[in-house]
Amino acid sequence: MIIAETVRTTRLTLLPLLVEHAEEMAEVLSDPDLHGFIGGEPLSPGDLRARYGRMTAGSPDPAVGWLNWVLRLDGPDHLVGTVQATVTTDPAGSVAEIAWLVGTPWQGRGFAVESARALVGWLGERSVRTVLAHVHPGHRASAAVARAAGLLPTEEWQDGEVRWRLP
């Protein structure tokens, strides 16, 4: 099973998620508009702490790995978002479904692209054979991130979103 490790990029450090990140991440994810495409609403620090507790405990299915990182902006040293990969292992190899989320104040600066590229590269170094993402058809910024990370849209849909795949 693959385990999340620290990943460094030019401007970011992808840190494996800890429950202790909840307080700062509650602020990063506090803009209600951020949840327009992903659904839900901003969580309180306590609710996010509980969610992170479940996430860091891992999947109850031994064939599924939950890999989650927070994005720490180097220099100012504060959190700006998250990336994640749900990795499923079967006899044919590993498949990762990835996602990214950058807080509203830090959007438009390339952090989502930088972290998604780093995640795709990191997964490739671990012999993940397939990388997928699901993007709402109206979310042009997220589609641009997927494309910049090397993924291409497919004709497949899941829960109203287009499936993107690393060729």
Side-chain angles (χ1 to χ4, degrees):
M1 184 54 64
I2 301 171
I3 297 171
E5 300 169 336
T6 299
V7 179
R8 298 195 191 290
T9 71
T10 304
R11 301 174 296 163
L12 301 168
T13 301
L14 284 62
L15 297 170
L17 179 69
L18 300 172
V19 172
E20 292 79 16
H21 292 129
E23 188 79 31
E24 187 174 354
M25 285 305 300
E27 187 171 327
V28 170
L29 305 176
S30 66
D31 181 359
D33 291 341
L34 186 61
H35 301 266
F37 286 108
I38 62 173
E41 58 188 41
L43 296 177
S44 71
D47 289 340
L48 202 53
R49 207 170 7 284
R51 175 180 280 180
Y52 286 0
R54 290 187 301 275
M55 291 167 70
T56 57
S59 170
D61 182 342
V64 177
W66 294 342
L67 308 178
N68 296 278
W69 292 262
V70 292
L71 310 177
R72 185 184 74 206
L73 178 60
D74 297 334
D77 194 27
H78 56 80
L79 302 180
V80 299
T82 65
V83 290
Q84 64 186 49
T86 300
V87 180
T88 306
T89 304
D90 62 33
S94 297
V95 175
E97 292 193 33
I98 66 170
W100 48 87
L101 184 61
V102 172
T104 305
W106 300 280
Q107 291 180 0
R109 300 183 195 181
F111 297 137
V113 168
E114 189 171 326
S115 60
R117 282 180 177 158
L119 178 57
V120 168
W122 186 87
L123 290 166
E125 292 169 1
R126 280 141 191 86
S127 302
V128 172
R129 69 173 169 82
T130 304
V131 177
L132 306 170
H134 297 93
V135 177
H136 187 282
H139 200 318
R140 284 183 262 174
S142 199
V145 171
R147 191 172 305 281
L151 284 73
L152 297 174
T154 69
E155 298 296 321
E156 300 170 54
W157 288 71
Q158 181 177 332
D159 298 328
E161 295 181 323
V162 177
R163 176 174 283 169
W164 289 64
R165 180 184 303 269
L166 186 69

